[in-house]
Amino acid sequence: MAGASEPDPVSTKQQRIAELAKRAPQMGFTSLNHHLDIPWMIGAYLRTRPDGAPGVDGQTGDDYGKSLLDNLASLLERAKSGAYRAPPVRRVHIPKGPGSNETRPLGIPTLEDKVLQRAVVMALEPIYEQDFLPCSFGFRPGRSAHMALQALWDQVMALGGCWLLDVDLRKFFDTLGHRHLRALLRQRVRDGVLLRLIDKWLKAGVLEDGIVSYPEAGSPQGGVISPLLSNIYLHYVLDEWFEGEVKPRLKGRAFLVRYADDFVMGFACEEDARRVLAVLPKRLGKYGLTIHPDKTRLVPFVRPVASAGSGAGSGVPSPGSFDFLGFRHYWSRSKQGRWVVKRQTAGSRFRRAVRKIAEWCRLNRHLPIGEQYQALCLKLQGHFAYYGGVIGNVNAQSRFRYEVMRLWRKWLARRRRRGREAWDHFNRRLKVFRLPWPRAWVSPCAASP
């Protein structure tokens, strides 16, 4: 039991790195790889999902774990000596949603590649967590999408409404410039071993349909290190630029909220918003990034009271709304009669979630009802966990629950020869298989659905 109270050696090393990075914000770290040892690699392995899809080598977590210490020792030696070769990433395409013709590329690295990338992330994260600004929320320890949503709500309410710049970066993860990334990394990291490894991952090929290609831009496909590299890139390109160069030149107050490559900017003054909208494409273009002209827009997100009398005749649009992180943001009155920002599940996200449920019910209607029930409960609870994380979204969640019930009934009816299943028969089943209700919702008929 005495050993249980001993500090974790990996956490102790990370804390030392973080303290040094905080004390010397301009210092470049020239020696980090000496922290990478067998305990460090074991920690990286334990932080890596062993049940993920195998990469190009076909190796699974069970295979790798049979000789774990020998495998980690070999990986560590190759990484430090420069003999490690980053294998190509296996690319597959998954539909963006049921019924959609568009696909999203998904990269699958090898398990060994994931472990080594995790080890490097564990060394770099303590440094950059001291540098990253409060406006950044995506893929950072102790931060979440709900925190980004709350920060956005607080900022808008503090301004009493604002001119909001809703920006969409076009294929950010595919266009991230390698040359710029290398230069930005060297501002804080000058360890030759780690920089060499990152460079190998940037140059690693992509295997698709038996052909290996070598993209000249983009972050490592599906890599563990990709979110950190992307945050580093946008920290220098966007966050620091906005805080250090843009805000001091504005007439009024402004804010930025960013979650990975999704971000919005708010301005108290319309003139400031239009000035930033004009220079933002130039700033991003300098680093190889572009904004989507059709999806990027300036929204007059002001209190309806402030815009009374506006309309077609005045040339000022009515108070707008916008989507961010899966939620539609709009102005509405509270129970006390005050104008407040409310949020509900964005229509596109709601429809996509319903389509996924419909597709799942269609493909799994042959399963025993008990198994279907357990799976649908998990899907509902996952949906409620995210979309129930904001106040005032209960109606959209209850509508989603109703859609799940309707679709489940529809596809269960296909198993019966007599045609569509009657609601009363379905409701009798629900007395046994009760689907969960959203949080903070008390149904008047919850006892007898």
Side-chain angles (χ1 to χ4, degrees):
M1 295 297 293
S5 62
E6 295 179 0
D8 177 17
V10 174
S11 298
T12 302
K13 290 180 181 180
Q14 288 180 310
Q15 185 175 357
R16 291 173 183 167
I17 296 172
E19 291 173 353
L20 183 56
K22 188 174 183 178
R23 288 200 307 266
Q26 303 300 323
M27 186 186 76
F29 285 75
T30 58
S31 180
L32 285 169
N33 73 87
H34 71 277
H35 292 295
L36 276 63
D37 52 19
I38 293 299
W40 190 282
M41 299 303 291
I42 292 175
Y45 174 80
L46 294 176
R47 290 169 172 83
T48 303
R49 282 186 55 188
D51 58 346
V56 296
D57 61 355
Q59 190 174 49
T60 64
D62 292 338
D63 296 336
Y64 198 81
K66 290 177 181 177
S67 303
L68 181 61
L69 292 181
D70 291 340
N71 288 332
L72 292 180
S74 171
L75 176 61
L76 185 60
E77 191 279 328
R78 283 179 284 135
K80 291 194 175 185
S81 66
Y84 180 79
R85 298 183 61 184
V89 174
R90 182 166 68 91
R91 175 184 284 175
V92 297
H93 290 268
I94 59 175
K96 285 191 173 181
S100 173
N101 295 325
E102 298 184 24
T103 60
R104 178 181 292 107
L106 177 65
I108 304 176
T110 64
L111 178 69
E112 192 170 65
D113 217 24
K114 293 177 185 177
V115 173
L116 187 54
Q117 288 190 27
R118 176 61 64 188
V120 174
V121 168
M122 289 163 56
L124 297 183
E125 203 169 61
I127 299 173
Y128 286 103
E129 276 302 307
Q130 314 311 311
D131 297 349
F132 289 157
L133 301 180
C135 62
S136 168
F137 292 88
F139 304 110
R140 293 181 56 189
R143 296 197 150 215
S144 66
H146 287 148
M147 294 176 67
L149 290 165
Q150 186 61 45
L152 173 60
W153 191 91
D154 292 340
Q155 298 269 24
V156 173
M157 291 299 296
L159 289 178
C162 64
W163 286 82
L164 191 129
L165 186 54
D166 183 9
V167 183
D168 184 273
L169 289 180
R170 176 179 282 170
K171 296 183 177 181
F172 167 72
F173 289 97
D174 295 331
T175 58
L176 185 147
H178 293 174
R179 178 174 59 86
H180 295 301
L181 177 59
R182 293 185 187 101
L184 296 174
L185 278 169
R186 289 191 179 94
Q187 294 188 32
R188 278 300 244 167
V189 180
R190 295 167 193 167
D191 184 293
V193 171
L194 300 192
L195 290 177
R196 183 171 61 231
L197 286 172
I198 293 174
D199 202 49
K200 289 182 178 182
W201 288 318
L202 293 175
K203 294 178 179 178
V206 176
L207 177 65
E208 186 174 6
D209 297 329
I211 300 174
V212 179
S213 60
Y214 296 91
E216 297 181 357
S219 57
Q221 290 282 336
V224 175
I225 200 171
S226 182
L228 178 60
L229 295 181
S230 303
N231 266 338
I232 293 170
Y233 202 83
L234 287 176
H235 166 73
Y236 290 109
V237 173
L238 181 66
D239 301 354
E240 279 199 341
W241 170 74
F242 185 80
E243 291 293 329
E245 297 184 34
V246 173
K247 287 178 68 174
R249 293 177 169 85
L250 300 179
K251 293 182 178 180
R253 295 167 58 187
F255 65 85
L256 166 68
V257 176
R258 180 175 68 82
Y259 188 91
D261 62 323
D262 292 330
F263 66 93
V264 292
M265 297 174 173
F267 304 87
C269 177
E270 178 185 0
E271 182 182 348
D272 289 340
R274 297 194 179 279
R275 287 171 57 198
V276 173
L277 179 58
V279 301
L280 185 60
K282 300 176 184 177
R283 171 65 182 182
L284 297 176
K286 181 180 176 181
Y287 292 90
L289 304 177
T290 58
I291 63 174
H292 200 295
D294 298 327
K295 296 181 180 179
T296 299
R297 62 196 187 106
L298 184 60
V299 181
F301 197 64
V302 294
R303 279 196 179 109
V305 171
S307 62
S310 65
S314 64
V316 178
S318 301
S321 62
F322 65 95
D323 292 353
F324 184 61
L325 298 181
F327 288 88
R328 169 63 55 91
H329 298 69
Y330 62 98
W331 285 99
S332 184
R333 290 197 182 273
S334 67
K335 292 182 179 179
Q336 292 76 29
R338 296 182 294 108
W339 286 107
V340 296
V341 177
K342 292 190 176 182
R343 297 158 293 184
Q344 66 180 14
T345 308
S348 59
R349 293 291 186 93
F350 186 91
R351 292 188 293 272
R352 185 171 70 183
V354 170
R355 287 196 298 266
K356 286 184 177 180
I357 292 293
E359 185 72 1
W360 187 91
C361 289
R362 182 182 71 85
L363 295 175
N364 295 275
R365 63 185 185 273
H366 62 282
L367 295 177
I369 293 179
E371 292 185 22
Q372 293 187 43
Y373 165 75
Q374 291 177 356
L376 289 174
C377 283
L378 291 176
K379 293 179 183 297
L380 275 170
Q381 289 165 357
H383 187 89
F384 296 158
Y386 183 73
Y387 291 102
V390 301
I391 298 173
N393 194 38
V394 172
N395 288 340
Q397 295 179 81
S398 63
R399 289 203 321 271
F400 182 72
R401 181 184 185 271
Y402 170 79
E403 289 296 329
V404 172
M405 290 175 56
R406 182 183 65 81
L407 289 166
W408 192 24
R409 173 204 177 210
K410 170 186 174 180
W411 288 104
L412 284 179
R414 301 294 178 93
R415 301 180 3 161
R416 300 172 61 87
R417 293 183 178 180
R418 64 180 184 179
R420 295 181 61 84
E421 187 168 13
W423 269 112
D424 57 348
H425 183 75
F426 184 70
N427 286 336
R428 284 198 298 271
R429 283 182 170 173
L430 287 183
K431 290 182 179 180
V432 179
F433 302 108
R434 295 184 178 182
L435 293 175
W437 289 90
R439 290 186 298 176
W441 172 265
V442 179
S443 170
C445 55
S448 56

